Amino acid sequence: MEFKYLLLFALLAIPIASAADGQISDIRGKAYGFHNDCMSSIDKEGQNRSDINKSQLQNCRFGAGKIVAEARVDKLERQVSSYQDKIDKFADSGLDISALQSVVDGAKTQVIDPLKAAINSATDFASLKAALKGYCLFDGCKDGANYHLEAKFEVQRLFAVLDNLENKTNVSTAKIAEAKGYLNNAQDVLDEVGTSQYTKDQKQTISSNVKSAVKAIRDINKGLPKDNKIRPVPKGRMK
């Protein structure tokens, strides 16, 4: 099998953080371009493809893999940035964003920073691939560290909404306690999961408790005067 196809299969095994199809094509195009240029430079040295040694092949493969790795980091940084944008909007609406900021800061220190360090210290394609499979913002690393950014962020966002509601008049304290109970249940499961992947039951438990908390919050909001309602009303969407 020609090496370009071996490279394709290798790159397909590296997650690119759910980039759009066009972006993936562009990333792989750049990787192939690098690989082809690398191989051509070896050919110009007067060697036949059959005479190229393993070390030379690995160097070309490693360089192409670095392009994919850098694209993955860029994608993850943009995803984290989108959550930071949400925090800024929540701050404008009067929510206490301190817990949300800690969640986003954790994504940087526990995923982005160590991933960058692992990529920079990688010396071959195997260690590069291991670095990419070692850190995930969400739940995509089978044998690596999963940060579960979306779930952590949503739970803390709803806690902030409840804190805001508690400061309003004529709010049902029973409903507040009910909603917080659901969120505490979700947080307990997140603590149990840690950096592992969710089991099916764990994912379902988190999702159902978040949705129940949202329903309780919406019920509370319905009972408030129009000029005292929270905006926007949480929807509880979880991927």
Side-chain angles (χ1 to χ4, degrees):
M1 182 181 292
E2 292 185 21
F3 185 80
K4 64 180 181 179
Y5 295 111
L6 293 175
L7 178 63
L8 171 62
F9 296 144
L11 291 178
L12 282 171
I14 296 178
I16 311 181
S18 301
D21 289 343
Q23 292 175 306
I24 292 175
S25 296
D26 183 56
I27 293 165
R28 292 204 170 113
K30 290 178 180 178
Y32 288 136
F34 176 92
H35 173 259
N36 290 337
D37 289 344
C38 180
M39 295 298 289
S40 295
S41 68
I42 294 174
D43 288 343
K44 288 177 181 179
E45 295 175 1
Q47 300 183 66
N48 296 320
R49 287 290 173 105
S50 59
D51 296 329
I52 297 173
N53 62 42
K54 183 177 180 180
S55 175
Q56 290 171 310
L57 290 176
Q58 288 293 335
N59 286 339
C60 292
R61 193 183 189 204
F62 178 61
K66 285 277 279 189
I67 293 172
V68 176
E70 289 166 1
R72 174 167 168 76
V73 170
D74 179 68
K75 176 66 177 182
L76 294 179
E77 288 182 324
R78 283 186 280 116
Q79 287 179 314
V80 171
S81 179
S82 72
Y83 279 87
Q84 185 64 57
D85 291 341
K86 292 177 183 179
I87 289 177
D88 295 339
K89 291 180 180 178
F90 295 150
D92 292 340
S93 68
L95 292 184
D96 181 353
I97 61 165
S98 55
L100 288 169
Q101 191 62 62
S102 293
V103 169
V104 170
D105 289 345
K108 296 173 184 176
T109 59
Q110 297 179 43
V111 178
I112 303 294
D113 291 346
L115 175 58
K116 283 182 176 180
I119 289 172
N120 290 335
S121 64
T123 56
D124 55 28
F125 192 83
S127 56
L128 183 64
K129 187 174 177 180
L132 289 168
K133 290 188 171 184
Y135 302 94
C136 289
L137 278 180
F138 303 102
D139 189 52
C141 286
K142 182 178 180 181
D143 298 311
N146 298 280
Y147 187 67
H148 306 295
L149 174 58
E150 182 182 42
K152 288 181 177 178
F153 190 90
E154 186 65 5
V155 168
Q156 293 306 320
R157 181 178 76 90
L158 294 176
F159 269 127
V161 170
L162 285 171
D163 288 343
N164 182 271
L165 282 172
E166 279 189 302
N167 294 325
K168 299 180 181 293
T169 57
N170 301 319
V171 173
S172 169
T173 55
K175 275 292 184 182
I176 291 284
E178 178 187 348
K180 285 189 175 182
Y182 292 131
L183 294 179
N184 284 328
N185 290 341
Q187 186 60 57
D188 286 345
V189 178
L190 279 170
D191 291 342
E192 176 186 305
V193 172
T195 59
S196 301
Q197 282 189 310
Y198 299 127
T199 64
K200 183 178 179 180
D201 287 345
Q202 287 171 330
K203 186 173 183 178
Q204 177 59 37
T205 298
I206 292 171
S207 179
S208 63
N209 275 283
V210 165
K211 289 178 181 178
S212 294
V214 167
K215 183 180 183 303
I217 290 171
R218 292 172 73 88
D219 289 343
I220 295 169
N221 204 45
K222 287 178 183 178
L224 295 175
K226 186 175 181 180
D227 60 354
N228 207 26
K229 292 182 184 294
I230 56 171
R231 296 286 189 274
V233 179
K235 296 182 179 180
R237 292 176 179 171
M238 297 281 291
K239 295 178 182 177

